[in-house]
Amino acid sequence: MAEEIIQKGKYTPMMNHYIEIKEKHPDAIVFYRLGDFYEMFFEDAKTASSELDLVLTGRNAGAEEKVPMCGIPFHAATGYIQRLIQKGYKVAIVEQMEDPTQAKGLVKRDVIKIVTPGTIMDEVQDEKAEVYIASLYDYQYGLAVVLCEMTTGEMRAQLIDKQVMAIQKVLLGNNVAEVVIEPSFDKKIRKMIEEMETVTISQEADHTCKEEYAYLLSDVEDERIQRSFATLTNYLNETQKRNMAHLNPVEMMNETDFLQMDYNTRVNLELTQAQRTNSKSLTLWSFLDKCQSAMGSRLLKKWIEYPLVQQQAIHQRLDAIEFLNDNFITKDELREHLSGVYDLERLSARVAYGNANPRDVLRLVKTLEHAPDIFNIFKECPSYQEFQTIDPCRALYEMLQGAIIDNPPLHLKEGGVFVDGYHEELDQLREIGKNGKHWILELEAKEKERTGVKSLKIGYNRVFGYYIEVTKANLSQIQPEFGYVRKQTLANAERFITEELKEKEDAIVHAQERSIRLEQELFNHLLNQIKVYLPKLHDLAHALATIDALYSLAEISGENGYTRPQFHDKAHFELSEARHPILEKLMKKNGHYVSNDLLMDETNSILMITGPNMGGKSTYMRQTALLVIMAQLGCFVPAKKAVLPIFDQIFTRIGASDDIMSGQSTFMVEMTEANHALQHATERSLILFDEIGRGTSTYDGMALAQAMLEYIEQHIHAKTLFSTHYHELTQLSKYHQGIRNVHVEVHEENETVTFLYRVNEGKADKSYGINVAALAKLPDTVLGRAKQILAGLEAKDQNEQLSFMSEAEVPQVIQTSDPKAEAIKEKLQQVQADQMTPIEALLLVNELKKMVS
């Protein structure tokens, strides 16, 4: 863009400087500081005016034609930047690097920061939301991923397969707004990421780890992760223009340590993100969230997204919930103190990053005030005794307490941050300022008396300083002996100065300027003292967030009368009088929610669920998955009794959704998700298939459904809930011990059906499709004709109807290739051996050995 601009003609020095900066940052909208405004020019101005609804004007810049321009007040920039970032833009902020009043010639300006979708700090809107930036290193047969949440400094890393669902899970599942890659990154994978509209792609060529960040990798030996980390930190250095001192050490994530769910499963179950945008839509997170702090809410979200698979860790949380609910007075005291806790994670990060303000310090003080009481209350909890070793930073509290006024200004340059008595010199300077203002008022009264001009006033502005203003109607009363020196002429008044006024002004203004500079020095010193405590504050924040999340789960469990789940190592799965947690709450206002049982013993791996639409089949399946997730994240569950194994993965195929962006039909999406479950599920997994096969012809769909059921029952043995309208499939229970029929009950009277939402043993006797259509008020002629056609079909000779079970008593099972062998084959096909280093080859061999074993 800049070359095209330069060809148009010669510009002013300021505009040439703008063009130089734009050339260095072609992918960012440049906010160029001019006085009290950020200005944008050329194409940036056109883009910003369109996206931000700003008036597009022009500026004389030395060329014949005016340069397109728009601007915003600098104090309102945060809101405008937020809007641009949400739309995927980057913003390069150019500030004045020297005082314009002291500058000789062109004011020195430079980029102080580039705000990108993944690097927002001050611009974050929702305090409970987390926005990640990720770096991906392509090592041919997989990707090394490093995730960073800038506002907290959290860093996580993992290795993933080069597959669509794995990439989708890590990027969309973690709300990644920006991905940093090397220029040599796989073009096919890049194109696939580009199709995710919420992700911005950035490039960074430097993958050499800087020495100042090496300590963050002390627990990470994998060279692929190290390279991905170096790419990310180099990009952050380049955009943030400062050392990232607030980053936490990288934590390696092993997915097998958690209950695994792909992105579609999380969306289908509405764990943390509602599928409907209406404001009343509840997710499992918003339902369980009774946390008193934003950091507690964010931690609870992670617990929901990553339920546990270790019984000991699950019972640790369950024990804490039981303790709090058995000691409700303790729980109430805990809530009172937790309500005084602020977001210590982000407060600490802002201190380390260097953008903390006086209000942040005040919130830190108030949080530290409550920390010892919280630990003291929680010390009786037997399962979290390790919290008693956490330092509540009492020494830091005593140092900070009483330093900042109760309602400090947001910005230091406004002054008046510290309390009187905090610093002797500051008190003296403030006194001069106060006395000076009092002296000005006295001088104004004296001059009114001396001149006889009652409307005379003494004012101040930054250009002229203090002045005496006299209206033109009273100018005749100003005598030469008064010593007034004319300074400025206005339309209706004249402004004067006197020797006496000028001398006092020097003293007052100097004291005010020195006072503000001194407060800045004192505040920076305070921040440096806080930085010494950052490792302890990080541990303290995690402990307080954990206690807050446990309180939230205890509150929701006690309030709704939930039951403690029981776990075992067998394949027995039992839920007694189970309820859907969210629907139960919503329906209490309108009626009674019908609870249901679920029983699957060691020999029963598949529940075949039949019954009409709207009868409750999908709700029954969803509630089962939600109860498993609640139990494994360490929460009590809405059931009279819950006995379950530890599940390793949950797979869902619920609802029909076309993937139009990638050109996939409903049926293709259905088959892709079903294949993912069949390839990756184990006997410890939970599979939920809702009407598989409905996206194609009846016979095709029925054949595919039966083949999948047989494969799951004979090869995988995963606990599976399979709802279907293919009533012929209910015959499978006669030939497969692992398949059992249940149905949702309805009451039919005079061709009108009433849904009872009760799940009972056995298959449904009919579909009730025409009855449901009648409830939808289809025309009577259509309903009548449908009944005629149905009667004709049912009257046909049974020998003419296709039955998958009539061919042989024992059905043939579809034999498939070994998924493990297919995965190894796919990985090897991705590798270009002549481009691998010896270490990369050894890593590949090691990974293939793990897959084989």
Side-chain angles (χ1 to χ4, degrees):
M1 186 205 78
E3 288 178 2
E4 181 187 343
I5 292 167
I6 291 167
Q7 290 169 5
K8 289 180 182 176
K10 185 172 176 60
Y11 294 96
T12 61
M14 185 279 289
M15 192 57 67
N16 284 329
H17 181 247
Y18 167 84
I19 292 167
E20 286 175 22
I21 289 176
K22 183 62 188 176
E23 282 177 335
K24 293 175 185 175
H25 305 93
D27 61 342
I29 293 176
V30 176
F31 274 33
Y32 195 84
R33 181 71 177 270
L34 290 174
D36 288 342
F37 283 81
Y38 286 119
E39 304 287 6
M40 288 143 275
F41 303 103
F42 300 104
E43 289 302 316
D44 282 359
K46 293 176 184 177
T47 302
S49 67
S50 171
E51 298 287 9
L52 300 175
D53 301 318
L54 300 173
V55 176
L56 185 67
T57 61
R59 181 185 179 96
N60 291 319
E64 289 182 16
E65 295 179 1
K66 285 189 176 183
V67 168
M69 180 188 86
C70 67
I72 56 167
F74 84 96
H75 57 77
T78 300
Y80 289 105
I81 292 171
Q82 283 171 350
R83 288 166 61 185
L84 288 172
I85 295 305
Q86 285 169 358
K87 296 180 179 185
Y89 292 101
K90 301 177 184 179
V91 178
I93 300 172
V94 178
E95 284 288 356
Q96 296 168 168
M97 308 304 286
E98 58 183 342
D99 186 341
T101 61
Q102 308 294 320
K104 293 181 180 177
L106 191 65
V107 176
K108 194 179 293 182
R109 295 179 177 87
D110 206 350
V111 176
I112 60 151
K113 182 183 179 183
I114 303 171
V115 186
T116 71
T119 61
I120 56 173
M121 286 290 288
D122 301 331
E123 300 81 13
V124 67
Q125 283 181 300
D126 182 356
E127 60 181 7
K128 292 184 181 181
E130 293 176 296
V131 178
Y132 285 86
I133 182 170
S135 60
L136 303 182
Y137 167 58
D138 175 7
Y139 56 89
Q140 294 194 46
Y141 59 93
L143 298 170
V145 183
V146 175
L147 295 161
C148 174
E149 214 289 331
M150 280 289 285
T151 64
T152 62
E154 173 199 0
M155 298 197 83
R156 288 183 281 133
Q158 62 188 107
L159 300 173
I160 63 170
D161 291 331
K162 240 169 144 178
Q163 295 174 339
V164 172
M165 294 190 91
I167 297 168
Q168 190 182 57
K169 178 180 176 181
V170 79
L171 297 185
L172 299 182
N174 287 292
N175 194 26
V176 172
E178 185 175 7
V179 166
V180 184
I181 56 174
E182 295 181 29
S184 59
F185 193 80
D186 187 318
K187 288 184 175 61
K188 287 182 181 177
I189 302 296
R190 175 173 181 149
K191 187 174 187 302
M192 187 264 288
I193 295 171
E194 284 173 347
E195 288 173 357
M196 299 179 190
E197 292 183 348
T198 57
V199 181
T200 298
I201 295 180
S202 301
Q203 284 193 181
E204 175 57 56
D206 185 0
H207 52 78
T208 306
C209 187
K210 301 286 187 291
E211 191 176 333
E212 61 262 35
Y213 297 119
Y215 75 98
L216 297 173
L217 286 168
S218 56
D219 296 330
V220 180
E221 295 180 358
D222 193 299
E223 290 186 3
R224 296 165 295 186
I225 295 292
Q226 291 175 356
R227 180 160 173 167
S228 184
F229 170 83
T231 302
L232 178 60
T233 48
N234 289 334
Y235 177 76
L236 292 177
N237 257 3
E238 179 62 29
T239 57
Q240 304 308 290
K241 310 293 182 184
R242 70 184 81 191
N243 182 279
M244 300 289 102
H246 73 299
L247 299 181
N248 297 322
V250 176
E251 177 190 356
M252 282 298 297
M253 289 281 290
N254 186 351
E255 289 204 332
T256 56
D257 292 340
F258 305 98
L259 170 62
Q260 295 179 57
M261 297 172 280
D262 59 38
Y263 176 70
N264 290 325
T265 294
R266 290 186 189 177
V267 170
N268 284 335
L269 296 176
E270 297 188 294
L271 297 185
T272 59
Q273 182 181 341
Q275 287 183 293
R276 297 168 301 283
T277 54
N278 110 39
S279 59
K280 293 183 180 177
S281 296
L282 280 174
T283 63
L284 184 62
W285 177 35
S286 61
F287 174 74
L288 294 178
D289 186 10
K290 299 280 185 179
C291 293
Q292 302 299 301
S293 70
M295 63 179 176
S297 293
R298 292 196 302 270
L299 181 62
L300 178 60
K301 179 172 181 272
K302 284 193 178 66
W303 287 2
I304 293 168
E305 292 174 330
Y306 297 96
L308 304 167
V309 293
Q310 297 294 333
Q311 278 202 46
Q312 185 180 354
I314 296 171
H315 283 300
Q316 184 184 27
R317 292 179 189 170
L318 293 172
D319 288 344
I321 292 169
E322 194 166 292
F323 161 75
L324 289 172
N325 283 336
D326 287 347
N327 300 274
F328 59 89
I329 295 175
T330 298
K331 186 170 73 173
D332 287 347
E333 289 177 0
L334 192 61
R335 182 185 62 242
E336 285 181 26
H337 286 289
L338 284 171
S339 64
V341 169
Y342 287 89
D343 195 341
L344 189 55
E345 280 182 338
R346 285 184 170 161
L347 290 176
S348 302
R350 286 167 67 81
V351 169
Y353 185 77
N355 64 343
N357 61 48
R359 292 181 192 177
D360 291 328
V361 175
L362 199 62
R363 288 171 184 144
L364 172 60
V365 172
K366 290 180 178 177
T367 300
L368 295 177
E369 180 183 343
H370 290 280
D373 292 317
I374 291 169
F375 289 129
N376 191 46
I377 292 167
F378 206 69
K379 71 180 178 185
E380 301 300 325
C381 180
S383 59
Y384 281 89
Q385 286 303 300
E386 68 265 26
F387 284 170
Q388 297 311 308
T389 62
I390 299 287
D391 184 354
C393 301
R394 199 65 188 170
L396 177 61
Y397 168 74
E398 288 170 358
M399 181 182 74
L400 298 176
Q401 201 270 333
I404 307 288
I405 65 171
D406 287 340
N407 188 25
L410 196 56
H411 303 290
L412 277 171
K413 61 185 176 185
E414 295 176 38
V417 171
F418 292 93
V419 296
D420 289 336
Y422 179 75
H423 190 271
E424 187 178 350
E425 185 185 349
L426 182 60
D427 288 346
Q428 291 171 354
L429 291 169
R430 284 177 175 173
E431 192 61 34
I432 293 171
K434 286 177 188 174
N435 289 339
K437 287 176 183 175
H438 181 66
W439 183 89
I440 292 291
L441 290 172
E442 286 184 343
L443 178 65
E444 185 179 84
K446 187 178 80 173
E447 290 301 311
K448 283 180 180 179
E449 184 70 30
R450 183 160 75 115
T451 62
V453 180
K454 301 303 179 188
S455 62
L456 178 148
K457 64 178 182 181
I458 297 180
Y460 177 83
N461 70 29
R462 283 186 295 177
V463 178
F464 298 114
Y466 283 103
Y467 56 81
I468 299 170
E469 186 172 293
V470 179
T471 59
K472 289 196 172 176
N474 294 302
L475 281 179
S476 60
Q477 295 178 253
I478 305 303
Q479 303 302 319
E481 58 267 24
F482 294 164
Y484 281 23
V485 178
R486 184 177 275 104
K487 190 69 179 174
Q488 187 184 15
T489 300
L490 303 180
N492 298 315
E494 294 282 350
R495 289 177 175 175
F496 303 91
I497 57 169
T498 66
E499 277 297 318
E500 186 181 18
L501 183 60
K502 208 64 191 164
E503 285 175 14
K504 204 65 180 178
E505 177 192 311
D506 290 341
I508 296 168
V509 172
H510 177 75
Q512 289 173 338
E513 290 174 352
R514 176 64 188 136
S515 173
I516 289 172
R517 277 203 305 274
L518 181 56
E519 286 206 66
Q520 289 174 332
E521 291 168 12
L522 292 172
F523 189 74
N524 289 334
H525 177 66
L526 210 59
L527 292 185
N528 288 332
Q529 289 178 296
I530 297 171
K531 285 178 183 178
V532 176
Y533 285 85
L534 285 176
K536 291 182 178 180
L537 289 174
H538 180 258
D539 293 341
L540 179 60
H542 178 70
L544 291 175
T546 302
I547 292 172
D548 196 8
L550 290 169
Y551 160 78
S552 179
L553 296 181
E555 184 70 10
I556 208 85
S557 299
E559 177 182 293
N560 296 292
Y562 290 173
T563 302
R564 178 169 180 154
Q566 303 166 42
F567 296 96
H568 56 73
D569 297 325
K570 300 173 185 175
H572 180 80
F573 184 18
E574 180 181 357
L575 299 173
S576 175
E577 295 185 26
R579 290 103 60 198
H580 190 294
I582 300 169
L583 286 181
E584 179 193 27
K585 193 81 170 177
L586 294 174
M587 289 183 68
K588 274 185 180 177
K589 300 172 185 175
N590 307 316
H592 176 64
Y593 184 79
V594 178
S595 62
N596 275 299
D597 299 341
L598 180 143
L599 179 62
M600 301 176 79
D601 60 22
E602 284 84 349
T603 63
N604 177 207
S605 57
I606 298 173
L607 276 189
M608 179 99 67
I609 310 167
T610 50
N613 284 324
M614 295 174 60
K617 300 190 300 295
S618 296
T619 299
Y620 181 68
M621 296 169 76
R622 289 174 191 274
Q623 94 180 15
T624 302
L626 290 179
L627 264 63
V628 167
I629 291 165
M630 286 175 69
Q632 289 190 217
L633 72 86
C635 182
F636 285 25
V637 296
K640 188 174 182 181
K641 180 183 179 183
V643 180
L644 56 160
I646 298 284
F647 290 100
D648 64 351
Q649 300 173 87
I650 295 179
F651 300 93
T652 65
R653 175 57 215 163
I654 301 175
S657 58
D658 286 9
D659 191 350
I660 296 168
M661 290 304 295
S662 59
Q664 292 188 337
S665 67
T666 299
F667 184 66
M668 185 62 185
V669 172
E670 188 176 87
M671 290 300 103
T672 301
E673 291 184 8
N675 175 60
H676 183 64
L678 297 178
Q679 295 282 4
H680 295 91
T682 71
E683 61 182 9
R684 294 178 52 229
S685 301
L686 175 64
I687 300 175
L688 308 177
F689 278 170
D690 189 14
E691 298 184 34
I692 282 284
R694 64 183 164 185
T696 185
S697 72
T698 301
Y699 297 155
D700 274 359
M702 209 184 302
L704 283 163
Q706 180 178 334
M708 288 182 193
L709 285 164
E710 291 172 351
Y711 185 81
I712 291 169
E713 199 269 342
Q714 292 193 7
H715 289 274
I716 302 176
H717 313 298
K719 294 297 183 193
T720 302
L721 274 61
F722 192 104
S723 77
T724 185
H725 280 299
Y726 299 137
H727 284 237
E728 292 83 354
L729 294 178
T730 58
Q731 300 297 316
L732 285 167
S733 63
K734 294 179 181 178
Y735 306 97
H736 294 278
Q737 183 185 11
I739 299 177
R740 202 172 96 244
N741 287 318
V742 295
H743 69 281
V744 289
E745 193 176 347
V746 297
H747 176 69
E748 183 181 13
E749 188 174 336
N750 297 327
E751 296 190 356
T752 301
V753 294
T754 304
F755 301 111
L756 302 179
Y757 306 110
R758 177 74 65 187
V759 177
N760 287 334
E761 288 293 321
K763 63 180 183 179
D765 54 358
K766 56 191 283 192
S767 290
Y768 301 99
I770 294 177
N771 306 74
V772 174
L775 291 176
K777 307 294 184 188
L778 257 68
D780 289 341
T781 52
V782 174
L783 294 170
R785 178 61 180 147
K787 288 173 186 174
Q788 286 179 352
I789 296 168
L790 180 63
L793 291 171
E794 289 177 340
K796 280 189 177 181
D797 185 0
Q798 291 295 318
N799 292 329
E800 294 180 15
Q801 294 187 30
L802 181 67
S803 171
F804 286 97
M805 306 311 302
S806 63
E807 297 295 328
E809 287 192 359
V810 180
Q812 295 298 308
V813 176
I814 298 174
Q815 298 293 330
T816 66
S817 56
D818 181 7
K820 197 177 287 184
E822 289 296 316
I824 291 172
K825 182 179 176 183
E826 183 183 349
K827 200 170 283 288
L828 287 170
Q829 285 175 336
Q830 293 172 340
V831 172
Q832 294 180 9
D834 58 339
Q835 294 183 14
M836 297 181 77
T837 65
I839 290 176
E840 287 173 339
L842 285 170
L843 287 169
L844 173 59
V845 171
N846 188 47
E847 193 155 326
L848 294 175
K849 281 186 69 178
K850 282 182 184 175
M851 293 175 73
V852 170
S853 62

